[in-house]
């Protein structure tokens, strides 16, 4: 990747479309987006105002796409976007934005600011101003296959463990299976329970499923860093895998951004509609529940709450299914303030958790999640995103809060009875 | 040029000129913005009732849950001065007469005493939001010359109109001329300043609603 200011500016120009032009023209500098952003509310620093994070792009828009702006540029009345400026903006566009979209949900004139930041990242990355942590993650995903550097043998090793623990076969490269199950590195390394849970759930539902040796990683650091060319390479693997195995549905794992990358950006990245369906695991579970294919027994009796991953709920439209599923197994469930559509981000979405130098800010921003949790005082926290889970575990540890976090799929699977005919 | 000549110019050539710039400017700017187009979304849509551009155009007129208390001055001030402005501009009898003269359209107005009251309230709200802009760190940080300039562009017509009605400070003819000229300056600047949000706000809300509506999210 040879990055330069010229390339960055060219890419930024290409990114500007009618929605972005409309948004820039509509902003009245009311500052309400700041009140929706946890990086502003927890620091009080106005530089974290969401719309301000787009200032270089706004100026470029004016200079390139408006008559008066072009005139001002010609006579030297407007300052050009510089390399140093983009460098300065890196922190604002990456470390202090998780693409959670709360700003987009509140802007009175209707600006979808997260949409703009996503596009601005394309220019930032092309100009070379993206965080090293994300660059590393993308390089590893493209070259090795996953952002954490996990290769197929590691997946196979996990499969073996799960097979031994659960006494079930984990299918690999099974052609014609109904579901292709994707994983995130985080699940392969830290939460292998997920794979076991899937096996139990699928067995009960009587559905065929498979993993794919050429496409097991669902996360897409290319999308997070803002490099559509690399994001396309990563998505293409999944598309090829799904087409080769002729599956009906690809299941995005408990990972918010993987869902956005596959469900909403995927077809646009590869330039054609998918021949298969994409669902988040929570959507699949809800479908099974509605079809009577998901039966649980027993209830969790401790006080529980649920953290909505931004990309699943606010940016993905999946809000009720997780609550319906929780009702099946949780007796003492309580919602946090702002839960659901307006839930606050864990602070590490959109690739932010991969940015080492952003850690201090991330922990500062976590105070918002802490206050949401303090309002409910749960004994355990349930979520449906492995990245949220890791980020929140770090935050909880930092603030010395003893609160175990559990994945929803795994919790549901624990309540699935073993089949009577199994020994 | 005496006061009457100034008023005559403002009512004649001045009005024609400013309306011309307004109309052509708005058309030009709308083409400049929306002509950029956008790519078709190839992902499979999820249909959910209430998730569309049109819904968002309406829905965004009220603060989302929990937001009002974070910025009460922006919300209240915003409501009062926008609604007040609309009442003063469109429901004051002399304004309706002017529109009738230009377009031939007319509608019933409000009693002038009521319009007078609304004008004072609107100006008060504008002063409050101006102080809020100076006072609130985020707003101050975001503010540029354009924010102060467009505030003045909006405020002066209100103040001069109110002063003309009350025959304050300078002779009526001169104040009325100042009022009309200040409105004409506002019309000329509207397409090229942040005042243009009066038009793009609908497009922006629509896009946000449509883009997220595609995903089944009513925003």
């Amino acid at each position: 990747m040879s990055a330069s200011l010229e390339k960055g500016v060219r890419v930024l120009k290409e990114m500007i479309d009618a929605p972005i032009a409309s948004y820039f023209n509509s902003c009245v500098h009311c500052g309400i987006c700041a009140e929706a952003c946890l990086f502003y509310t927890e620091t009080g620093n106005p530089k974290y105002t969401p719309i301000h994070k787009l200032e270089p792009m706004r100026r470029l828009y004016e200079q390139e796409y408006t008559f008066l702006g072009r005139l001002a540029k010609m006579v030297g009345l407007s300052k050009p976007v510089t390399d140093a400026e983009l460098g300065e903006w890196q922190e604002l566009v990456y470390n202090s934005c998780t693409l959670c979209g709360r700003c987009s949900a509140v802007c009175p004139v209707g600006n979808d600011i997260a949409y703009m930041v996503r596009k601005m990242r394309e220019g930032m990355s092309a100009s070379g101003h993206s965080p090293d942590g994300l660059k590393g993650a993308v390089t590893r995903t493209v070259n090795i296959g996953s952002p954490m550097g996990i290769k197929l043998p590691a997946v196979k090793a996990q499969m073996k463990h799960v097979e031994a623990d659960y006494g079930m076969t984990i299918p690999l490269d099974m052609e014609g299976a109904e579901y292709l199950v994707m994983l995130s590195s985080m699940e392969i390394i830290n939460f292998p329970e997920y794979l076991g849970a899937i096996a139990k759930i699928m067995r009960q539902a009587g559905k065929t499923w498979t993993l794919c040796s050429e496409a097991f990683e669902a996360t897409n650091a290319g999308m997070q860093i803002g490099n559509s060319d690399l994001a396309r390479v990563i998505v293409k693997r999944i598309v090829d895998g799904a087409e080769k195995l002729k599956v009906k549905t690809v299941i995005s794992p408990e990972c918010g951004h993987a869902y956005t990358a596959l469900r909403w950006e995927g077809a646009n990245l590869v330039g054609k509609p998918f021949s298969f369906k994409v669902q988040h695991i929570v959507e699949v579970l809800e479908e099974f529940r509605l079809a009577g294919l998901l039966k649980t027994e027993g209830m969790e009796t401790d006080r529980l709450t649920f953290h909505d991953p931004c990309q699943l709920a606010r940016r993905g439209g999946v809000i009720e299914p997780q609550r319906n599923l929780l009702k099946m197994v949780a007796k003492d469930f309580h919602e946090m303030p702002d839960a659901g559509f307006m839930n606050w981000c864990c602070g590490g979405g959109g690739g932010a958790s991969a940015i080492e130098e952003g850690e201090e800010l991330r922990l500062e921003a976590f105070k918002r999640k802490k206050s949401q949790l303090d309002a409910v005082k749960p004994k355990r926290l349930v979520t449906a995103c492995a990245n949220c889970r890791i980020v929140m575990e770090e935050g909880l540890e930092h603030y010395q809060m003893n609160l175990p976090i559990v994945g929803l799929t795994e919790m549901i699977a624990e309540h699935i009875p073993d089949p009577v005919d199994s020994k | 040029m005496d006061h009457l000549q100034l008023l005559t110019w403002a009512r004649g050539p001045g009005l024609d000129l400013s309306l011309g710039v307004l109309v052509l400017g708005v058309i030009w700017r709308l083409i400049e913005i929306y002509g950029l187009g956008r790519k078709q979304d190839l992902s499979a849509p999820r249909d959910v009732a209430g998730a569309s551009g049109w819904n968002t155009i309406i829905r965004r007129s009220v603060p989302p849950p929990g937001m009002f208390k974070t910025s009460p001055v922006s919300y209240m001030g915003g409501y009062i001065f926008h609604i007040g402005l609309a009442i003063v501009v469109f429901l004051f009898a002399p304004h309706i007469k002017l529109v009738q003269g230009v377009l031939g359209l007319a509608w019933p107005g409000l009693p002038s005493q009521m319009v007078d009251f609304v004008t004072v309230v609107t100006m008060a709200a504008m002063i409050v939001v101006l102080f809020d802009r100076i006072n609130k760190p985020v707003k101050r940080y975001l503010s540029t010359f354009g924010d102060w300039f467009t505030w003045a562009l909006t405020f002066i017509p209100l103040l001069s109109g109110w002063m003309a009605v009350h025959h304050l400070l300078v002779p009526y003819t001169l104040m009325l001329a100042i009022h009309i000229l200040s409105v004409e300056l506002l019309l000329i600047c509207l397409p090229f300043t942040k005042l243009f949000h009066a038009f793009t706000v609908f497009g922006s809300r629509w896009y946000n609603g449509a883009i997220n509506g595609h995903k089944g999210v009513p925003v």
Side-chain angles (χ1 to χ4, degrees):
Chain A
M1 265 193 299
S2 67
S4 66
L5 175 68
E6 290 69 34
K7 199 172 165 198
V9 166
R10 202 190 67 225
V11 171
L12 265 185
K13 269 171 69 179
E14 283 167 13
M15 286 298 122
I16 293 166
D17 56 5
I20 291 185
S22 184
Y23 298 154
F24 280 138
N25 277 284
S26 298
C27 178
V28 291
H29 292 166
C30 72
I32 286 173
C33 53
E35 304 294 343
C37 176
L38 76 174
F39 292 100
Y40 169 73
T41 60
E42 304 314 299
T43 63
N45 190 336
K47 75 173 176 176
Y48 295 130
T49 303
I51 195 71
H52 176 66
K53 295 170 187 171
L54 297 151
E55 182 55 20
M57 194 191 205
R58 187 199 63 79
R59 259 194 5 262
L60 190 73
Y61 158 69
E62 236 174 51
Q63 292 165 2
E64 300 293 334
Y65 293 104
T66 71
F67 174 69
L68 283 187
R70 275 195 292 259
L71 208 65
K73 186 186 163 192
M74 236 155 55
V75 298
L77 274 175
S78 67
K79 17 177 232 202
V81 174
T82 64
D83 203 46
E85 187 184 14
L86 293 184
E88 198 186 319
W89 248 260
Q90 183 179 311
E91 189 221 354
L92 302 180
V93 179
Y94 292 99
N95 310 23
S96 70
C97 178
T98 59
L99 299 173
C100 85
R102 272 188 119 252
C103 49
S104 305
V106 306
C107 172
V109 294
N111 292 351
D112 190 344
I113 301 172
Y115 173 95
M116 300 163 97
V117 174
R118 165 68 186 86
K119 299 245 182 192
M120 172 132 177
R121 285 187 179 185
E122 292 280 334
M124 293 296 285
S125 138
S127 73
H129 295 291
S130 52
D132 290 337
L134 269 175
K135 279 184 194 159
V138 183
T139 313
R140 282 189 297 276
T141 315
V142 171
N143 297 339
I144 302 174
S146 98
M148 290 165 85
I150 293 157
K151 292 182 188 174
L152 186 63
V155 181
K156 283 188 169 162
Q158 280 298 0
M159 287 166 65
K160 260 195 193 144
H161 280 298
V162 174
E163 284 174 345
D165 290 351
Y166 290 78
M168 281 178 286
T169 321
I170 306 292
L172 182 69
D173 295 329
M174 195 219 297
E175 210 180 292
E178 185 168 353
Y179 293 98
L180 169 59
V181 170
M182 303 300 302
L183 303 167
S184 67
S185 294
M186 211 72 96
E187 280 152 344
I188 302 166
I189 292 286
N190 295 320
F191 310 120
E193 314 83 88
Y194 178 75
L195 196 52
I198 292 285
K200 276 184 88 173
I201 290 162
M202 291 294 180
R203 178 174 63 183
Q204 191 195 44
K207 298 285 184 183
T208 52
W209 67 288
T210 184
L211 294 180
C212 174
S213 57
E214 282 151 33
F216 51 84
E217 174 64 59
T219 61
N220 195 323
M223 180 190 78
Q224 294 174 327
I225 203 169
N227 185 324
S228 285
D229 291 334
L230 298 179
R232 184 176 307 115
V233 172
I234 299 167
V235 161
K236 188 78 174 35
R237 280 182 199 150
I238 304 171
V239 175
D240 291 346
E243 285 176 353
K244 194 173 136 195
L245 298 175
K246 301 185 184 70
V247 298
K248 286 202 188 87
T249 302
V250 173
I251 303 181
S252 174
E254 288 201 345
C255 170
H257 278 85
Y259 182 61
T260 289
L262 252 181
R263 176 68 178 89
W264 307 115
E265 287 212 12
N268 295 307
L269 286 167
V270 298
K272 60 168 191 189
F274 287 164
S275 58
F276 48 86
K277 209 158 94 177
V278 175
Q279 286 184 306
H280 189 274
I281 180 64
V282 164
E283 291 178 280
V284 176
L285 291 175
E286 174 72 346
E287 245 177 45
F288 287 179
R289 185 188 72 86
L290 289 168
L293 300 173
L294 183 67
K295 291 189 190 77
T296 56
E297 58 177 32
M299 299 290 269
E300 301 287 334
T301 52
D302 53 347
R303 195 174 167 87
L304 299 177
T305 193
F306 185 80
H307 163 81
D308 285 283
C310 307
Q311 300 301 314
L312 183 63
R314 184 165 41 252
R315 305 294 283 179
V318 181
I319 294 177
E320 283 312 309
Q322 50 269 46
R323 287 169 171 76
N324 297 336
L325 292 162
L326 273 162
K327 268 183 212 146
M328 294 177 80
V329 295
K331 219 175 206 163
D332 196 17
F333 175 73
H334 299 269
E335 292 280 16
M336 286 187 274
D338 298 323
F341 179 67
M342 285 305 279
N343 188 40
W344 293 86
C345 180
C346 63
S353 61
I355 306 168
E356 213 176 306
E357 61 275 22
E359 194 188 350
E360 202 181 320
L361 181 64
R362 205 153 55 237
L363 289 169
E364 192 67 14
F366 189 76
K367 285 194 293 190
R368 180 52 70 156
K369 187 53 59 189
K370 184 178 180 297
S371 74
Q372 269 187 298
L373 290 168
D374 286 343
V376 175
K377 297 192 172 48
K379 286 284 173 242
R380 272 187 304 161
L381 170 60
V382 189
T383 192
C385 170
N387 186 62
C388 293
R389 193 166 160 184
I390 287 281
V391 170
M392 291 193 296
E393 278 174 356
E394 282 166 9
L396 291 168
E397 194 186 314
H398 178 79
Y399 290 101
Q400 293 168 342
M401 295 163 78
N402 184 20
L403 180 65
I405 308 180
V406 58
L408 178 60
T409 309
E410 174 194 329
M411 178 174 268
I412 295 285
E414 273 170 21
H415 289 271
I416 293 181
D418 285 326
V420 192
D421 58 349
S422 79
K423 23 181 196 4
Chain B
M1 197 184 254
D2 61 19
H3 298 168
L4 190 62
Q5 281 172 319
L6 186 66
L7 180 63
T8 310
W9 187 87
R11 278 178 159 162
L15 188 64
D16 293 344
L17 180 76
S18 61
L19 283 175
V21 173
L22 176 77
V23 172
L24 292 177
V26 167
I27 294 172
W28 171 255
R29 294 283 288 124
L30 289 175
I31 294 172
E32 199 176 67
I33 294 163
Y34 297 101
L36 286 170
R38 67 173 173 135
K39 282 192 187 146
Q40 191 198 344
D41 193 337
L42 300 171
S43 63
R46 176 191 284 139
D47 289 327
V48 165
S52 78
W54 301 109
N55 277 283
T56 299
I57 289 180
I58 311 286
R59 197 180 291 124
R60 261 329 141 90
S61 304
V62 290
M67 288 310 292
F68 183 83
K69 61 176 189 293
T70 68
S71 311
V73 178
S74 298
Y75 280 115
M76 276 319 286
Y79 276 129
I80 294 172
F81 106 74
H82 278 96
I83 294 168
L85 211 54
I87 291 174
V88 174
V89 172
F90 296 112
L91 297 179
F92 185 44
H95 295 167
I96 300 170
K97 272 217 176 88
L98 178 85
V99 176
Q100 197 175 11
V102 178
L103 298 173
L105 287 168
W107 54 87
L110 284 178
S112 56
Q113 267 173 321
M114 198 181 282
V115 175
D116 187 70
F117 172 72
V118 173
T119 310
V120 174
V121 172
T122 307
M123 287 194 292
M126 282 194 73
I127 290 167
V128 171
V129 293
L130 179 70
F131 273 98
D132 197 45
R133 185 167 286 289
I134 296 166
N135 203 27
K136 223 177 163 183
V138 166
K139 277 190 173 177
R140 195 171 57 230
Y141 187 80
L142 293 177
S143 296
T144 60
F145 170 76
D147 293 292
W148 314 113
F149 178 64
T150 49
W151 183 91
L153 270 183
T154 314
F155 190 77
I156 294 168
L158 273 171
L159 181 66
S160 57
W162 184 78
M163 285 171 79
V165 168
H166 291 273
H167 297 255
L168 293 174
L169 210 63
V170 295
Y172 173 75
T173 316
L174 177 60
M175 192 52 94
L176 188 60
I178 291 173
H179 173 62
I180 296 174
L181 287 169
S182 68
V183 173
E184 288 167 359
L185 187 63
L186 172 82
L187 297 181
I188 289 169
C189 293
L190 192 143
F192 310 104
T193 57
K194 77 166 191 178
L195 296 172
F196 200 55
H197 77 273
F199 286 85
T200 56
V201 65
F202 303 103
S204 296
R205 287 181 182 180
W206 189 87
Y207 276 133
N208 192 343
I211 289 166
N212 288 288
H214 181 87
K215 306 197 256 184
V217 188
V219 289

